[in-house]
Amino acid sequence: MAKLSTEELLGQFKELTLLELSEFVKAFEEEFGVTAAAPVAVAAAAGAPAAAAEEAVEQDEFDVVLESAGEKKIQVIKEVRGLTSLGLKEAKDLVEAAPKPILEKVDKAAAEKAKEALEGAGATVTLK
């Protein structure tokens, strides 16, 4: 039998049905003592760090963290109450315990809006 090129082999595989191809893979694995799943798992594991890096670059959830209330603590407490459903005492306690998260896992637009409002009241805010 003449040796087939990669393109010729792929052409032959294209003509097979999925059932025939599955039977071929099983026979190939038995003949050579290998499994087709192992290279796929290795490729998937190798791709995982790249996917994690992309996910970190394209962050879509942010935490709004109050670093300090600044000089206008009352204004900051009012803004915290407006951004959250906290009562006066809870908002005051949160502001006094800074650094503390005000909002967690919000989209970028909401995080930016909250940051602007808090900074407008005199607070120091970071987005994480």
Side-chain angles (χ1 to χ4, degrees):
M1 181 174 157
K3 184 175 180 180
L4 298 175
S5 70
T6 303
E7 290 85 25
E8 292 170 330
L9 281 172
L10 288 174
Q12 293 296 315
F13 289 131
K14 285 180 183 178
E15 295 176 11
L16 297 176
T17 64
L18 287 178
L19 184 58
E20 292 170 331
L21 188 56
S22 175
E23 290 172 358
F24 169 78
V25 170
K26 286 178 186 175
F28 186 89
E29 290 174 345
E30 289 174 11
E31 178 70 25
F32 295 104
V34 295
T35 60
V40 174
V42 171
E54 283 184 30
E55 186 176 313
V57 172
E58 298 178 20
Q59 182 178 1
D60 61 347
E61 290 184 340
F62 295 86
D63 293 343
V64 180
V65 180
L66 176 68
E67 296 296 331
S68 72
E71 295 179 15
K72 301 178 183 177
K73 187 167 36 171
I74 293 172
Q75 294 297 94
V76 174
I77 292 170
K78 287 180 181 179
E79 287 299 329
V80 168
R81 288 191 68 205
L83 294 169
T84 64
S85 60
L86 296 175
L88 180 60
K89 181 175 179 356
E90 292 85 5
K92 180 180 178 280
D93 291 344
L94 186 108
V95 169
E96 289 176 347
K100 285 284 191 179
I102 302 295
L103 299 172
E104 295 180 330
K105 296 183 180 179
V106 296
D107 64 3
K108 187 174 184 174
E112 289 290 335
K113 184 177 177 183
K115 181 179 178 184
E116 287 177 22
L118 288 166
E119 286 179 342
T124 305
V125 180
T126 59
L127 299 180
K128 294 185 179 181

